[in-house]
Amino acid sequence: MILRPGRFHAGAFFVLLAAYLAAPLPARASYSDVPPPLALPVPVAPAPDFVPLPIPGLALAAPLVVPTFSFRSEFQAEYPTEPWLNDRLRRPSFVLQRGEYGGSGFKVLAEMGDLRLKETGNTLQEARGRGGRFSLLTGNAGNRATFKTFATSGALHPGPEDTLVGATGELSLLDDSALFKTIFVSGRSSLDREGRWPTAGAKRGDVVGFVARLEPVRGKLAAEAEYDYSVYDANTAAPGSALRDSACRLKMTGDWGRSRYTALYEKTGPRYRLMGDGPERDREGGTFGVATAFVLHDLDVRLSRYNDNTEKDPLNPRLYRYEGVVDYKFKGFKMLPLALQYRKTFIDSTNEPVGYAPKDVAEDAMSGQVNLLAGRWDLGLRGGVTQRTDRIKQQRELSSASVGLFPKFSAGNFTLFPDLSMKRINDYAADQRTDQYAVNLGVTGNLLEKRLDYEVKGGFKKESTGVGTGREVLGAKVKALYPLAGLFKWTRSPSLGIKGEFNGINNLTEDRRENDFSLLISLDGGSFL
């Protein structure tokens, strides 16, 4: 770029000369007797003071692209389907305010309100709390980087003294062919009702997880590995009470033709604990499954082997559990789908301490279900048998048989679903037989041009363990909701709700009866929020 001094720009002269030479001859000269029309002068923008000069071997730079920025805001609110059951009638059950700002190659997301948090099963299975979350996303050309952080209260237990904070970082490469993720979650819950942590102490749990996922062949082969480490302190005021342990997981999936394969290995230490729900502790094992889909048949086979006492504690035995499951579905008749399942289980023990009897149990279970789809009717029939045998004593421990009929009728705004079931359980070790019978009837629908929603359910269940023993249960429930005409343009119109319940228990063994019923009529005036 060379600066040309003076009022006339050399670049403009070269541009005009090139345009004149490139024009065809009739445009440059006319020999007609009629003079050409007078052309109005076209305003030309002043030429810049910097004129690009092409240099051999060096390409001109592309014009500068000005990035575009955008901002978007969103507000969400959900109200309970049965407002008369909610103590806070004038408050929605879910509120979330979101703001999103995006630019060239990045996006920023901020959320505040009721958050739904979910990571992996070993770090944070699922939690809901009120707080805020901040996310930053950036990337291009199939690569993406994400950073998230959140802070909530009430996710572990209701109350502001319980907090849950965390942060995650994720890196995705080559259109999710390789993914790496780091997770950190920390929770704290006060042991005192007033939340005075320095005096009463608190429960605290921290967990950090590392996840790597590789998919070298898209949709055909994928591998995922996870390692987690947790620190859990049941009382921060007591020294030396923290528990530390780790968990790991390795999973591989793949497709081959009509089949899909799944292999999983997982191990969780005996002291691995989280503030919320976590995986089963002191457990190690794996599963392997193959699912195949044909035109008329579906077949799913799963094999698993797990054991407890991963650190071989001499005071406890080690139990091994082997299980195989076969699921079969027949799709030859659209009006008559059929499903069958067979499960075989073995449980045995090793390294038994003194005074512990060895255990060797085998269990067989078979169940099936068939549905007859005839217009508005759906007639379902389900049944199953189970038998457990002690292979050391060579005798049966337990057996059960059940059968159930589950019809369903749907017609427009009306649905009827009765059911009848029977089950018999024989406990040979205790020499006891238990018979169970259950009859239920339910009706749902709406009336008055779909304005009145109602639901009516009732049932009777009897459990007999012998002559004059057992119990009988009778229950009924009715619900109805009718929206009223609003006097103002509220976001949620007022409604009239009715809810009634009745439960009666007749304990034949103790010759005692218990009855309770309730009837609630609620007039909800709506809300401006």
Side-chain angles (χ1 to χ4, degrees), residues 73-88:
S73 179
E74 180 184 4
F75 177 77
Q76 300 178 4
E78 298 178 5
Y79 293 89
T81 57
E82 301 176 354
W84 61 86
L85 296 179
N86 196 344
D87 295 335
R88 299 173 297 179

Side-chain angles (χ1 to χ4, degrees), residues 79-80 83 85-93 114 130 492:
Y79 293 89
L85 296 179
N86 196 344
D87 295 335
R88 299 173 297 179
L89 297 178
R90 297 184 179 181
R91 298 183 182 181
S93 59
D114 295 318
R130 179 156 295 183
R492 180 164 59 94

Side-chain angles (χ1 to χ4, degrees), residues 18 88 182 195 204 256-257 259 378 418 426 469 488:
R88 299 173 297 179
T182 302
R204 181 171 182 175
W256 184 269
S259 301
D378 181 2
N426 292 317
T469 60
F488 305 97

Side-chain angles (χ1 to χ4, degrees), residues 433-454:
R433 190 186 75 180
T434 303
D435 295 327
Q436 297 177 355
Y437 308 92
V439 179
N440 299 286
L441 177 63
V443 179
T444 61
N446 51 72
L447 298 173
L448 304 177
E449 298 180 353
K450 299 182 179 181
R451 298 186 64 188
L452 174 64
D453 296 332
Y454 67 90

Side-chain angles (χ1 to χ4, degrees), residues 419-423 425 434-441 458-464 470-476 504-508:
D419 66 81
L420 171 66
S421 62
M422 296 175 289
K423 186 176 183 179
I425 303 174
T434 303
D435 295 327
Q436 297 177 355
Y437 308 92
V439 179
N440 299 286
L441 177 63
F460 174 77
K461 181 179 180 181
K462 182 178 180 179
E463 181 178 309
S464 176
R471 67 173 186 169
E472 298 175 348
V473 180
L474 178 63
I505 301 176
N506 183 14
N507 194 327
L508 302 177

Side-chain angles (χ1 to χ4, degrees), residues 264-276:
L264 172 66
Y265 169 79
E266 53 187 349
K267 180 181 179 181
T268 307
R271 295 171 299 276
Y272 190 87
R273 296 195 61 179
L274 302 177
M275 289 294 295

Side-chain angles (χ1 to χ4, degrees), residues 133-216:
R133 177 165 49 192
F134 175 82
S135 305
L136 174 62
L137 298 84
T138 181
N140 56 9
N143 302 323
R144 183 182 70 255
T146 306
F147 174 76
K148 300 179 182 179
T149 180
F150 65 87
T152 62
S153 63
L156 303 174
H157 303 283
E161 65 273 6
D162 298 332
T163 59
L164 184 67
V165 298
T168 62
E170 181 178 320
L171 178 62
S172 175
L173 305 175
L174 303 177
D175 294 330
D176 293 335
S177 297
L179 186 143
F180 305 94
K181 188 174 184 179
T182 302
I183 305 169
F184 173 75
V185 179
S186 178
R188 190 166 185 174
S189 177
S190 174
L191 297 177
D192 188 81
R193 293 183 179 180
E194 298 180 1
R196 296 174 299 188
W197 288 338
T199 58
K203 291 190 299 182
R204 181 171 182 175
D206 302 332
V207 59
V208 58
F210 304 94
V211 182
R213 187 176 187 273
L214 301 177
E215 192 173 1

